[in-house]
Amino acid sequence: MEYIQRIQKVSVLGAAGKMGSGILLLTAIEMADQMLKPENQGQSFVLNAIDTSDEGLVGLVKYIRLQVIKAAEKKVVSLRKVYSDKKALIENSDIIDAYVQDVMSVVRTTTRIEAAYDSTLIFEAVSENQALKEKLFRMINENNNSQPWFFTNTSSVPIGGLNKNASLGGRILGFHFYNPPAVQKLVELITIDENPIEMVEFANKYASNLRKTVVPSNDIAGFIGNGHFMRDALFGISEAERLSDEMPLYEAIYCIDRVTRDFLSRPMGIFQLIDYVGLDVVQFILRVMQPHMQGEKLHSSLLDELVLKGVKGGQFSDGSQKNGFLKYEKGKPVAVIDNITGSYVDINTFNESADHWLGAIPAEVLPWKSLVKVADKDKILEPAFKALQVSSLKGCELAVAYALNSRETARKLVSDGVAHNEKDVNTVLLTGFFHAYGPINDYL
Ligand code: 3HC
């Protein structure tokens, strides 16, 4: 089956979720772009957006429409060529409307899993629940006569196990997007020996059409991205717990979040990132990884305690951030959870003393937003890390310890055989987590 045939009948499972909606968006655009090519005129393209909640699907359509308008605005010049035979489309807004209509015409929302019984390609982005994933794969595989390919977005569950338990005969691979899929450039590709070669070739071509960077990971629980993220998160939590000997835990969480964002020029502090992904998702990934990582403790009692209290983070269907370790207003952290009372403590009541305790950020350290735009980052990062290293201020010391732990974690992924090489680990952090520099560097 050619690329074009494979991409004509597609389903996304969990399409209304935060990862599913991004995968649906990118796939809908790719399918519409193929449909609009002269050689494919008249062919049908169907993308089933499957999810359990009608309400979620309504929110999904709103999200997709808005994002397609943005995408169309960015490529209006090339779209004008695509629609050159449609003389009635004169203004840019006409072109944009036509494109939105074409992309939306591909998408069929449904709560019925049966829609996938006719698909040749299935993207799976349901919640990180291995039993649920296997049940859905088995149901579709048993009822679908076209030997569909399954691309799972699992961020942690080994693909070999899913293949075996759902009896898929090698027609599954890990195709792991990063959040938000429309923004992050990375796809982590996890293949298994049983995969047909054409399936792997298709996966690479599809990723390339989406303009994604592909990094291969070996099939080891957590893969590269979460292999780093989970250990980075646990280190952050343990650092905050250690600091709570000298300040309340909520203040310590604020300090570590600030160090990991502002002193290390990252897009988000580590606690904000845990909230963004979801405390319950992080907890699940840790549980999946733990049995595979003998001799290492991948667990946080604080995380368990908060999830038990219903503090889960994640996002609302409009993309806004739910409260987790931090409480958000208009996307900005405004308070931090007090694990004892379960209520949030306003940052304004303690940030002055906490910031004083951390000390000033060295002038050489640029905020992430400015740093990501710099072409020659070495010129900025070498003096920035030097300044952090020579300083005896608490914030700088914490930042250096954090960066060293991140580097050690990254190297371990290579020595444990998860990543093929150090460059791949750096690429994952640069393109999946939008870091401005890789964890394995010579700055320290
Ligand atoms: N869908 C589409 N576009 C989105 C979006 C979404 N959900 N969220 C943000 N964007 C777009 C914005 O519209 C904006 O686009 P524009 O430049 O064209 O206007 C652009 O992204 C930047 O957004 P903002 O200006 O609002 O904010 P920031 O510049 O601070 O960037 C961020 C936001 C891209 C989320 C950035 O903070 C970031 O990359 N943070 C790190 C996120 C991360 O680490 N993700 C990986 C998590 S781990 C994972 O996914 C693996 C999983 O399996 C556990």
Side-chain angles (χ1 to χ4, degrees), residues 75-375:
K75 58 179 183 181
V76 72
V77 175
S78 61
L79 285 177
R80 197 166 271 286
K81 285 192 197 119
V82 170
Y83 290 114
S84 57
D85 59 335
K86 300 234 159 80
K87 302 293 174 214
L89 306 180
I90 298 161
E91 304 294 332
N92 277 358
S93 58
D94 300 333
I95 304 273
I96 290 164
D97 286 350
Y99 187 64
V100 172
Q101 209 175 331
D102 278 329
V103 176
M104 297 314 286
S105 76
V106 166
V107 178
R108 314 273 156 85
T109 57
T110 178
T111 52
R112 295 178 65 250
I113 187 76
E114 289 82 358
Y117 295 174
D118 191 34
S119 292
T120 46
L121 177 62
I122 319 279
F123 287 96
E124 175 275 307
V126 302
S127 60
E128 280 291 79
N129 174 332
Q130 184 164 353
L132 172 67
K133 287 176 194 289
E134 289 170 1
K135 184 178 138 200
L136 294 173
F137 292 148
R138 229 178 286 114
M139 269 171 74
I140 296 171
N141 201 38
E142 282 165 10
N143 290 287
N144 184 320
N145 293 326
S146 52
Q147 301 267 299
W149 289 349
F150 295 89
F151 282 20
T152 171
N153 188 58
T154 181
S155 62
S156 55
V157 182
I159 310 303
L162 293 171
N163 177 51
K164 188 162 160 268
N165 298 342
S167 310
L168 298 178
R171 281 179 287 106
I172 182 169
L173 52 74
F175 202 85
H176 184 206
F177 288 87
Y178 277 69
N179 195 11
V183 176
Q184 309 296 358
K185 291 270 167 272
L186 177 67
V187 166
E188 209 173 7
L189 183 64
I190 306 103
T191 57
I192 52 174
D193 291 345
E194 296 90 328
N195 288 150
I197 180 83
E198 320 82 76
M199 185 176 169
V200 179
E201 282 168 3
F202 172 91
N204 278 296
K205 178 159 188 199
Y206 168 76
S208 149
N209 285 1
L210 264 48
R211 292 186 196 80
K212 295 293 179 196
T213 303
V214 174
V215 174
S217 167
N218 285 325
D219 192 21
I220 297 176
F223 316 124
I224 302 173
N226 282 326
H228 184 275
F229 174 36
M230 292 302 117
R231 293 172 175 105
D232 208 49
L234 287 176
F235 187 67
I237 295 170
S238 70
E239 283 288 85
E241 286 172 330
R242 183 175 66 79
L243 291 187
S244 71
D245 286 346
E246 42 187 312
M247 61 180 84
L249 181 62
Y250 56 81
E251 198 169 324
I253 289 172
Y254 166 86
C255 286
I256 296 299
D257 197 63
R258 195 145 178 251
V259 164
T260 47
R261 184 188 59 229
D262 298 342
F263 286 70
L264 289 175
S265 309
R266 289 183 177 188
M268 289 176 173
I270 192 64
F271 286 99
Q272 183 174 2
L273 185 56
I274 297 173
D275 290 350
Y276 187 68
V277 168
L279 280 75
D280 53 343
V281 176
V282 171
Q283 184 192 45
F284 177 86
I285 297 170
L286 289 170
R287 282 187 184 151
V288 172
M289 287 176 66
Q290 181 63 92
H292 300 270
M293 308 293 157
Q294 300 297 326
E296 189 181 4
K297 184 176 159 245
L298 290 170
H299 172 252
S300 157
S301 306
L302 178 61
L303 204 64
D304 288 352
E305 184 189 323
L306 291 176
V307 173
L308 203 64
K309 284 186 175 141
V311 180
K312 292 186 183 167
Q315 282 127 57
F316 292 104
S317 57
D318 67 355
S320 59
Q321 179 64 52
K322 288 185 190 169
N323 298 333
F325 279 103
L326 310 172
K327 180 179 171 186
Y328 301 85
E329 276 173 19
K330 294 189 183 134
K332 298 264 175 287
V334 293
V336 184
I337 193 115
D338 178 347
N339 66 317
I340 298 162
T341 62
S343 55
Y344 285 90
V345 184
D346 191 333
I347 283 176
N348 288 321
T349 61
F350 60 83
N351 64 348
E352 221 170 283
S353 68
D355 289 346
H356 183 258
W357 183 86
L358 287 170
I361 303 169
E364 292 85 344
V365 174
L366 286 190
W368 168 76
K369 248 207 164 131
S370 319
L371 183 60
V372 275
K373 293 183 192 130
V374 173

